């Protein structure tokens, strides 16, 4: 029987991930993650993965085929360089990705309602206009919202807690979390569901590819640091 290539392994180990990001383009890995795997969290219960997708789809008015899982619930481990050895656990979220152009547009427009309020100026009794004074956090949030939207990604954590778009999104996911529990998933399946929206599949691939590129850079930094420490010890010996 032919040995599987690293790209064909469903749930790579930490060491396999270190090799994987060196040997394959991040776009190829992103496609593999989105299309070729049953998420780790559902690896023993693929039917319940289908039910999960249906539950998310019904909550947001999209098709089940528009719903994906990313992050540690997909890979079976953290995809951060320092934490790559940390296996998926029940303390993790199910990080869900919805690919829908109309849903992306809806939540971006909803987000502008908060931007409008945050950036609204005032006029005094004489009609003189005064510019708004934005807090540093507000400036950062508007920057993240714009940067993500330009990449075709909408993330609720780009907005403050009081923003209506964020509340609406998390309320839907809160309801989904309760329904997920009702599906009686495995004991190690988390109850907290989180998510983001991509405008298109290509945007989703680019976003995930960027995360994999960062992972490779994190591995390289860790490796360089390790080599530097060993070199320092050798010079002192």
């Amino acid at each position: 029987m032919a040995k599987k290539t690293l790209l064909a392994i469903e749930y790579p180990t930490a060491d396999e991930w270190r090799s994987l990001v060196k040997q394959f383009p991040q776009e190829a890995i992103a496609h593999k993650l989105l299309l070729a795997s049953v998420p780790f969290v559902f690896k023993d219960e693929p039917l319940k993965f289908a039910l999960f997708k249906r539950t998310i789809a019904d909550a947001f008015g999209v098709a089940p085929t528009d719903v994906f899982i990313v992050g540690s619930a997909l890979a079976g481990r953290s995809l951060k360089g320092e934490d790559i050895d940390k296996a998926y656990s029940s303390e993790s979220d199910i990080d869900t990705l919805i690919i829908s152009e109309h849903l992306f547009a809806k939540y971006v427009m909803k987000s502008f309602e908060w931007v409008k309020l945050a950036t609204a100026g005032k006029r005094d009794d004489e009609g003189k206009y005064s510019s708004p004074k934005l807090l540093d956090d507000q400036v950062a949030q508007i920057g993240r919202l714009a940067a993500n939207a330009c990449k075709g990604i909408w993330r609720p954590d780009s907005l403050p807690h009081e923003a209506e778009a964020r509340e609406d999104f998390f309320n839907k996911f809160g309801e989904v979390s309760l329904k997920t529990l009702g599906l009686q998933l495995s004991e190690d399946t988390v109850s907290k569901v989180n998510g983001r929206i991509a405008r298109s599949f290509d945007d989703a691939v680019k976003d995930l590819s960027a995360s994999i590129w960062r992972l490779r850079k994190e591995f390289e930094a860790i490796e360089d640091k390790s080599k530097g420490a060993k070199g320092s010890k050798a010079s002192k010996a």
Side-chain angles (χ1 to χ4, degrees), residues 1-11 16 23-24 32 36:
M1 184 176 179
K3 184 179 179 182
K4 283 186 176 182
T5 67
L6 278 174
L7 201 59
I9 296 173
E10 288 185 305
Y11 313 109
E16 286 170 341
Q23 295 182 26
F24 293 91
K32 169 254 192 318

Side-chain angles (χ1 to χ4, degrees), residues 111-112 114-116 118-119 134-149 158-160:
S111 300
F112 285 158
W114 168 74
V115 174
K116 177 184 176 182
T119 59
L134 296 177
L135 301 174
D136 289 344
D137 283 349
Q138 291 175 314
V139 173
Q141 287 160 344
I142 292 172
R144 285 197 299 271
L145 174 66
N148 285 324
S158 299
L159 298 168

Side-chain angles (χ1 to χ4, degrees), residues 81-153:
E82 292 284 355
D83 298 325
I84 193 67
D85 291 300
K86 186 183 295 183
Y88 167 85
S89 74
S90 58
E91 296 178 0
S92 305
D93 294 347
I94 297 180
D95 193 2
T96 308
L97 167 69
I98 303 172
I99 299 177
S100 168
E101 186 173 6
H102 86 266
L103 202 63
F104 170 80
K106 171 185 173 181
Y107 276 97
V108 168
M109 294 305 295
K110 260 184 163 310
S111 300
F112 285 158
E113 293 175 9
W114 168 74
V115 174
K116 177 184 176 182
L117 291 174
T119 59
K122 294 181 180 179
R123 292 189 183 277
D124 60 22
D125 294 338
E126 298 177 355
K128 186 177 180 180
Y129 177 83
S130 60
S131 299
K133 295 181 179 179
L134 296 177
L135 301 174
D136 289 344
D137 283 349
Q138 291 175 314
V139 173
Q141 287 160 344
I142 292 172
R144 285 197 299 271
L145 174 66
N148 285 324
C150 286
K151 297 173 185 176
I153 302 294

Side-chain angles (χ1 to χ4, degrees), residues 157-186:
D157 53 9
S158 299
L159 298 168
H161 292 282
E162 68 272 13
E164 184 180 346
R166 177 179 173 133
E167 287 184 357
D168 178 78
F169 189 79
F170 278 126
N171 284 342
K172 280 187 170 62
F173 268 102
E175 294 170 5
V176 168
S177 296
L178 294 176
K179 291 179 181 178
T180 300
L181 287 175
L183 292 177
Q184 298 180 345
L185 302 176
S186 301

Side-chain angles (χ1 to χ4, degrees), residues 3 6 19 34 39 48 72 78 94 116 120 128 131 138-139 147 155 187 201 218 220:
K3 184 179 179 182
L6 278 174
S19 299
L34 289 174
K48 290 181 180 178
S72 62
S78 170
I94 297 180
K116 177 184 176 182
K128 186 177 180 180
S131 299
Q138 291 175 314
V139 173
R155 297 177 59 106
E187 292 180 2
F201 184 79
E218 288 168 2
E220 290 174 355

